[in-house]
Amino acid sequence: MTAELDTFAAPTRLPGPAAERPAFARSLVSRLGELAHQPILVLSWIIVLVVIGWAVAPGLFTSYGPYTGDTAASFVPPSAEHWFGTDRLGRDLFARSVYGARTTLTATLLAVIIAFGVGMAVGLVAGFAGRVADTVIMRVVDVFLAIPSLLLAMVMVSVLGYSTTNIALAVGISSIASFARVMRAQVLSVVTQDYVKAAYGLGVGRLGVMVKHVVPNSLSSVIALAALEVGTAVLAVASLGFLGYGAPPPEPEWGLLVAEGRDYVAVHPWASIMPGVALAIVVIATHRISTSFRKDHR
Amino acid sequence: MLRYVTLKVGRALFVVWAAFTLTFVLLFVLPVNPVDLLFDPAEINTIPPEVRKQVAENYGFDDPVIVQYLDRLGHALTGDFGNSVQSGRPVTAAILDVLPSTLVLASGALVLALLIAFVIALVATSTRHAWVRNLVEALPSGSVSVPVFLSGILILQIFSFRLSWFPAFGGEGARSLVLPLITLAIPVSGPIAQLLVRSFATEFHSGYVTTSWAKGATRGGIIIRDVFRNASLPAFTIAGITFGNLIAGSVITETVFARKGIGRMTQIAINTLDVPLVQGVVVLVAVSFALINLIVDLIYPLLDPRLRATLAISIPQAATGGLR
């Protein structure tokens, strides 16, 4: 939701010459130099990389298993031994959060890929294929935007069945509309550029112009939106997990971890707060990174 | 001008109709056996075939899809979305029952969110210290990053269980409203604050502010008299997004605080696969969204003289697609 307003912000920074050239073409060295002046951005990257590490190789980060618990040690408060404390069954909550990263992040990745891929294609067709296609597509997009994405995702999950994959599908599909709209706006502005007219003038076909000029030059703002969508999608996936539409209970999924701890929040608050705070920190980090992307691409 | 109004009304009607059709396809056509959806998944195997057959007849699932669709659409036009599967009551009545509770929560949260957003924008604009501005400007993105269920649990933990200032659960009385209100206001305030901070900054560096400086106005005077009025208007353009955030937020907030309302009812309806109720809620939300955007589209030009001027010439591109 915030994505729309961010990308449609008042154009305070007009695209200069830098916007014509993909920002990643700048030298890596100068970018690393810039990073040194932004400790929070560096910290955000570290957090995100560590959490990706959790998802890829959870065994490296914790010696506890996600399912094995010691019932004698139930509801141990956070300590050096159990960083996040333990739950009702004495399972180490840090281990469960580490292993849960795989479930939550895979779902997030899938959701973002769907939203990005389909949204980009739909937006490209709307912006490039002419007025009839544009009108039809944008009216459909309007409808999807009229239903809050969490509600739409809930409805879709109820039809598809409860599972983390279906949550990913639902979150992805319900975010297609905003990607399509941003891509279309970008395509519409790119096709009026001189270099596009020049390409036509040189005899390049419509398809060639689309592939070689329109797509590469329209991508930057959609990529920035995708970066922002990562945080939003983590939140959506975890929210649906919290509501109980995702993986069944023994599975460690971040939203579900919070939901499981919630029943004991009055007496053992850490059981839901520690996984929840970890989740919030990850989302804040991805938002910080996406902001830096947006600045680069303007 | 008339063309502009007709276009906007037509689009709003289209969105509502399409939302109805979309939910019809999702809920009544796509499921392989829609009758199954009408029973509690736990009891599905205990339902005798005669009962299934009769339910299918009652709901018209044996008719061709197009007949079912036209029948449901016709009834929906008169406000009849059928009966809730769980309670057997008309969907419209069930919704109207819990609507006031959510309206109170959402409107209260909206007011609080606007207050927070304006305070953030005012502080960010009026401060002379860069670190204060940076800190304050970081708040909105933080507020949209923290999951609503987490902030709800934290607020519950601190103000109810630790400090015992407010009751933890229950939906009666003004005191029980305070914590859900704050929980819901936090994520809603974020996008508004981001927009206002930018808009305040833009206006603060515009020409008429320079003129006011030259005439000897003070910083505070300029912000209150000039910037505040001009920079607040764009907040209307994200009314639709704000509404979506309020709906999504209320689903979680009402679940965390066990409050009755549209959000919690929707969650329960989806858990129990109460298909008619789910469709009723989705259509209600789409109607509200379309109505809010229609009102903004029609009123915004009246509030902003620049837009009114462009409207008189032609339909502005900005208002038809760019702003919303």
Side-chain angles (χ1 to χ4, degrees), chain B residues 11 15 31 55 92 111 123 127 137 162 189 211 215 236 251 254-255 265 268 272 282 314 321:
Chain B
R11 278 193 189 172
V15 162
V55 168
T92 321
V111 171
V123 171
T127 183
E137 284 183 4
R162 293 270 169 251
S189 70
T211 312
K215 286 161 122 183
F236 279 104
V251 174
E254 287 170 1
T255 306
M265 191 186 72
I268 295 171
T272 55
V282 174
S314 69

Side-chain angles (χ1 to χ4, degrees), chain A residues 241-267:
Chain A
F242 175 81
L243 291 173
Y245 300 129
E251 191 93 355
E253 191 276 323
W254 288 351
L256 188 63
L257 285 178
V258 179
E260 283 176 350
R262 183 186 153 230
D263 296 339
Y264 312 97
V265 70
V267 204

Side-chain angles (χ1 to χ4, degrees), chain A residues 159, chain B residues 25-37 61:
Chain A
V159 176
Chain B
V25 172
L26 270 177
L27 295 167
F28 292 96
V29 181
L30 282 187
V32 184
N33 193 347
V35 181
D36 283 354
L37 285 184
F61 286 136

Side-chain angles (χ1 to χ4, degrees), chain B residues 5 10 13 35 44 76 105 123 153-154 157 194 209 229 238 277 284 317:
Chain B
V5 174
L13 289 174
V35 181
I44 202 95
L105 175 66
V123 171
I153 288 173
L154 279 174
Q157 172 66 19
Q194 283 173 332
V209 168
R229 276 179 51 198
I238 57 161
L277 194 53
L284 171 76
Q317 280 307 304

Side-chain angles (χ1 to χ4, degrees), chain A residues 1 4-6 9 139 143 145-146 148 151 154 159 162 181 235 243 245 262 265 269 273 276 283-284 287, chain B residues 11 14-15 18 26 144-145 147 149-150 153-154 157 191 198 241 245 255-256 266-267 270-271 273 285 289 324:
Chain A
M1 300 262 158
E4 290 153 16
L5 105 107
D6 277 323
R139 291 296 75 78
V143 178
L145 290 174
L151 188 60
M154 281 166 76
V159 176
Y162 298 174
R181 212 176 51 168
L235 275 185
L243 291 173
Y245 300 129
R262 183 186 153 230
V265 70
I273 289 175
V283 178
I284 292 172
H287 273 180
Chain B
R11 278 193 189 172
F14 173 78
V15 162
L26 270 177
V144 292
S145 303
F149 54 81
L150 176 69
I153 288 173
L154 279 174
Q157 172 66 19
R198 264 196 305 263
I241 293 171
N245 286 347
T255 306
V256 169
T266 311
Q267 200 234 330
I270 286 179
N271 282 349
L273 293 170
V285 168
F289 181 90
R324 214 159 19 85

Side-chain angles (χ1 to χ4, degrees), chain A residues 76-260:
Chain A
V76 175
S79 62
E81 206 172 320
H82 299 287
W83 290 0
F84 286 7
T86 63
D87 66 3
R88 187 173 57 89
L89 300 172
R91 294 176 296 198
D92 182 68
L93 279 169
F94 178 71
R96 283 178 68 70
S97 301
V98 168
Y99 281 88
R102 179 174 293 175
T103 322
T104 307
L105 291 189
T106 315
T108 303
L109 192 67
L110 182 59
V112 174
I113 288 173
I114 292 171
F116 178 85
V118 181
M120 194 195 74
V122 170
L124 180 63
V125 173
F128 200 71
R131 280 191 69 171
V132 179
D134 188 23
T135 311
V136 171
I137 290 174
M138 291 324 284
R139 291 296 75 78
V140 175
V141 163
D142 275 353
V143 178
F144 277 86
L145 290 174
I147 305 170
S149 38
L150 182 74
L151 188 60
L152 187 60
M154 281 166 76
V155 174
M156 275 191 275
V157 169
S158 77
V159 176
L160 295 169
Y162 298 174
S163 81
T164 310
T165 315
N166 288 344
I167 282 189
L169 281 174
V171 171
I173 294 172
S174 58
S175 317
I176 289 174
S178 40
F179 277 85
R181 212 176 51 168
V182 170
M183 182 69 182
R184 167 189 176 262
Q186 199 67 27
V187 169
L188 284 180
S189 84
V190 167
V191 290
T192 61
Q193 300 287 323
D194 287 342
Y195 57 78
V196 172
K197 290 178 195 149
Y200 279 127
L202 288 170
V204 183
R206 260 182 87 76
L207 197 67
V209 169
M210 187 178 92
V211 174
K212 283 186 94 165
H213 299 284
V214 177
V215 173
N217 287 293
S218 306
L219 272 185
S220 63
S221 59
V222 193
I223 290 174
L225 180 60
L228 189 70
E229 176 71 14
V230 172
T232 316
V234 171
L235 275 185
V237 167
S239 297
L240 290 167
F242 175 81
L243 291 173
Y245 300 129
E251 191 93 355
E253 191 276 323
W254 288 351
L256 188 63
L257 285 178
V258 179
E260 283 176 350

